[in-house]
Amino acid sequence: MLDWYMDLSLFNQTLIAGLFTWLTTALGAASVLVAKKVNLKIMDGMLGLAGGVMIAASFWSLLSPAISRAEESGQPGWLPAAIGFLVGAIFLWAMGKLIPHMHAYARRNQPEGLQPEKRKRSTLLILAVTLHNIPEGLAIGVAFGAVASAVDSTSALVGAGTLALGIGLQNIPEGAAISLPLRREGISRFRSFMYGQFSGMVEPLSAIAGFLAVTWMAPTLPYALSFAAGAMIFVVVEEVIPGSHENGNKDMATMCLMIGFVIMMILDVALG
């Protein structure tokens, strides 16, 4: 059934995977068109599930392949993984200090970045989710870019597709987490939806950027994979987990995180 997709070039496969994650963000944002009020317990559970998916994807789809690729090239497996992982986290931390934003998942939060007081709250919310979608898109692009140099290209391609599927699924609550708060701010349902889905537009763009980067600079692949993993884990720890605990549903959010991790691990190991 997916033969047509497998016959496409890696670039086109990357583009379609990125567009898929944008579509799932739009699907989550579309909840504002039908929902009259936010069920905070369900939202926290979905965020926990998303966090678990991102953590599992960071290891099984990114860090583990990075270690294997480094060892295949004669490097210590831990070195590129450690450097790339930390640089990815530092990069996202620095972007957060520079770009004005407000965490979308928290009920009570102060704007962050340079001169955030000059921006509307709605703009800050959109910038926050857009900023944190960048590493997800990069992860997809890097994973597909790694297929070209993989010993088992079929397995690597299935793994990249599984990563895109997992990220796409966890984008559904992300889309809802941006559009529903905007609706509470008094913005119309349609505009809230448009802003929510717009935040996912960065994913296909960053996926292409990640793909081209590792294609042109193949020796950097272990570092690029680890970079994407570090950036994703930073998002989970800094934003997703605290946001899922904000409303007092810690136990539920934590168990959903564990379930999300197991689901993504099974998908990655069984399919990849």
Side-chain angles (χ1 to χ4, degrees):
M1 185 173 65
L2 294 177
D3 289 346
W4 66 271
Y5 181 77
M6 302 294 283
D7 291 337
L8 296 175
S9 68
L10 282 175
F11 178 87
N12 287 331
Q13 290 176 357
T14 305
L15 178 60
I16 291 174
L19 291 173
F20 167 72
T21 60
W22 181 11
L23 177 64
T24 55
T25 303
L27 178 63
S31 62
V32 75
L33 300 176
V34 295
K36 293 185 178 180
K37 61 180 296 184
V38 182
N39 188 315
L40 295 177
K41 183 171 290 189
I42 292 177
M43 179 63 70
D44 291 342
M46 292 178 69
L47 288 176
L49 194 74
V53 168
M54 292 177 71
I55 293 172
S58 295
F59 177 76
W60 297 105
S61 299
L62 299 170
L63 272 180
S64 182
I67 294 171
S68 298
R69 294 300 183 91
E71 291 175 343
E72 290 169 4
S73 65
Q75 303 179 65
W78 58 267
L79 184 60
I83 294 175
F85 187 84
L86 291 175
V87 171
I90 292 171
F91 171 79
L92 211 62
W93 169 81
M95 293 290 287
K97 294 297 182 183
L98 294 174
I99 298 176
H101 65 283
M102 177 180 291
H103 295 296
Y105 305 137
R107 284 184 305 172
R108 301 177 298 275
N109 211 330
Q110 294 297 320
E112 299 179 9
L114 294 178
Q115 299 181 325
E117 66 278 356
K118 295 185 178 181
R119 305 275 183 171
K120 293 181 179 179
R121 176 180 169 85
S122 58
T123 302
L124 294 173
L125 290 171
I126 295 168
L127 287 173
V129 177
T130 302
L131 172 64
H132 291 168
N133 279 342
I134 292 175
E136 296 172 6
L138 286 174
I140 293 171
V142 170
F144 275 94
V147 174
S149 59
V151 175
D152 186 350
S153 59
T154 301
S155 178
L157 181 58
V158 173
T162 303
L163 174 64
L165 175 62
I167 290 177
L169 292 176
Q170 65 91 31
N171 275 355
I172 296 175
E174 281 193 353
I178 186 68
S179 62
L180 293 173
L182 291 177
R183 176 58 179 163
R184 291 200 301 268
E185 293 290 317
I187 297 176
S188 70
R189 291 183 185 275
F190 179 74
R191 287 182 61 197
S192 297
F193 162 72
M194 292 302 294
Y195 288 147
Q197 64 82 28
F198 178 78
S199 68
M201 188 184 297
V202 70
E203 293 208 19
L205 299 177
S206 53
I208 292 172
F211 175 84
L212 294 177
V214 299
T215 301
W216 293 338
M217 298 178 288
T220 66
L221 181 57
Y223 296 91
L225 288 165
S226 304
F227 177 95
M232 286 179 62
I233 291 294
F234 183 89
V235 170
V236 173
V237 175
E238 194 231 11
E239 172 116 351
V240 177
I241 292 178
S244 68
H245 291 180
E246 182 75 17
N247 301 300
N249 300 311
K250 294 182 180 180
D251 291 343
M252 179 180 180
T254 300
M255 290 308 302
C256 286
L257 185 145
M258 303 298 289
I259 293 170
F261 183 95
V262 170
I263 290 173
M264 187 61 196
M265 179 183 66
I266 292 173
L267 287 174
D268 216 316
V269 174
L271 300 180

